[in-house]
């Protein structure tokens, strides 16, 4: 693992659960800046989260495979007086994630917040039978859904540990707690992401790092979900802005009462 692409380091935790960074001196680690990194920016939760943190004075780094998804969000934030940096990135490729974070640290500073909203790649609706899944597609879903989350976390954790501060929020789904028929391609990576979030929280919470997993239990209000469910009322959908408010509240929580896992769902959702 590298920090700013320059210094190799490993994390070592003793029995007292206090971690130190071998090969990195405090003098070389910059303090955290009011920077939020949002990975998986689209018209829903990612865009809403970016705009929420920007409205609170954070510079926001926007990551997605497609620049077409990033440009409108960056433009909206800029017009509102905020600062945003668009970085087209394939989060399933660790080298691209590391390079993106090097750019973020150079241009914006060391992040204080990471929101991992990227989903497993290759998911389609209606979902296919497990009999029709190709192994390479299944493997690719883990690359963007889980490996990318680990790689991104590795880029911020050294700074978080050194400063005893920082927030990581993972966007989960109902599929992370219940594997539905024909949903193997979504459910398996989401289960793994939830497990990763738990493991990271148990390892790094003693260093004052807040790591949360949010189970999005319902259908997010997007143009495509509206188009496919035209018979549904407004209160059937989860509003992206309301989810972003929840993410901000998690970041603001006092460390004496941190939430690790949180369910969000519309009032009418069956569960």
């Amino acid at each position: 693992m590298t920090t700013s692409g320059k210094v190799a380091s490993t994390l070592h935790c003793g029995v007292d659960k206090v971690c130190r960074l071998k090969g990195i001196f405090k003098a070389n680690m910059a303090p955290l800046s009011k920077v939020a990194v949002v990975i998986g920016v689209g018209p829903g939760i990612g865009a809403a989260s970016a705009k929420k943190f920007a409205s609170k004075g954070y510079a926001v780094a926007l990551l997605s495979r497609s620049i077409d998804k990033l440009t409108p969000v960056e433009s909206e934030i800029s017009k509102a007086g905020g600062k945003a940096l668009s970085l087209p990135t394939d989060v399933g490729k660790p080298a691209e994630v590391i390079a993106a974070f090097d750019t973020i640290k150079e241009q914006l500073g060391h992040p204080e917040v990471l929101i991992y909203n990227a989903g497993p790649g290759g998911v389609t609706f209606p979902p296919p039978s497990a009999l029709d899944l190709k192994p390479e597609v299944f493997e690719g879903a883990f690359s963007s859904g889980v490996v990318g989350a680990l790689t991104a976390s590795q880029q911020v954790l050294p700074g978080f540990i050194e400063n005893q501060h920082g927030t990581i929020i993972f966007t989960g789904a109902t599929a992370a707690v219940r594997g539905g028929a024909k949903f193997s391609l979504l459910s398996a990576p989401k289960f793994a992401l939830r497990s990763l979030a738990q493991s990271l929280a148990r390892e790094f919470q003693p260093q004052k790092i807040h790591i949360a997993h949010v189970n999005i239990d319902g259908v997010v209000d997007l143009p495509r979900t509206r188009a496919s469910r035209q018979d549904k009322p407004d209160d059937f959908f989860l509003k992206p802005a309301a989810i972003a408010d929840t993410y901000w509240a998690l970041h603001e929580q006092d460390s004496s009462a941190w939430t690790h896992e949180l369910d969000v769902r519309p009032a009418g959702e069956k569960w």
Side-chain angles (χ1 to χ4, degrees), residues 123-134:
V123 175
T124 58
F125 292 93
S129 166
L131 295 174
D132 298 323
L133 284 180
K134 295 182 179 180

Side-chain angles (χ1 to χ4, degrees), residues 167-224:
T167 302
I168 300 176
I169 299 173
F170 297 105
T171 299
T174 309
V177 295
R178 185 174 68 248
K182 297 186 177 182
F183 276 90
S184 299
L185 189 60
L186 175 63
S187 186
K190 282 297 187 183
F191 260 87
L193 181 69
R194 182 174 180 237
S195 177
L196 173 66
Q198 290 179 4
S199 294
L200 292 177
R202 290 187 169 102
E203 182 173 0
F204 297 111
Q205 185 168 303
Q207 280 74 259
K208 304 295 183 183
I209 298 165
H210 189 187
I211 298 174
H213 177 267
V214 182
N215 173 24
I216 310 298
D217 187 20
V219 179
V220 178
D221 193 352
L222 302 169
R224 61 177 174 80

Side-chain angles (χ1 to χ4, degrees), residues 215-237:
N215 173 24
I216 310 298
D217 187 20
V219 179
V220 178
D221 193 352
L222 302 169
R224 61 177 174 80
T225 56
R226 284 276 185 171
S228 62
R229 297 169 175 83
Q230 296 182 21
D231 59 326
K232 299 298 184 182
D234 287 348
D235 60 6
F236 172 81
F237 299 93

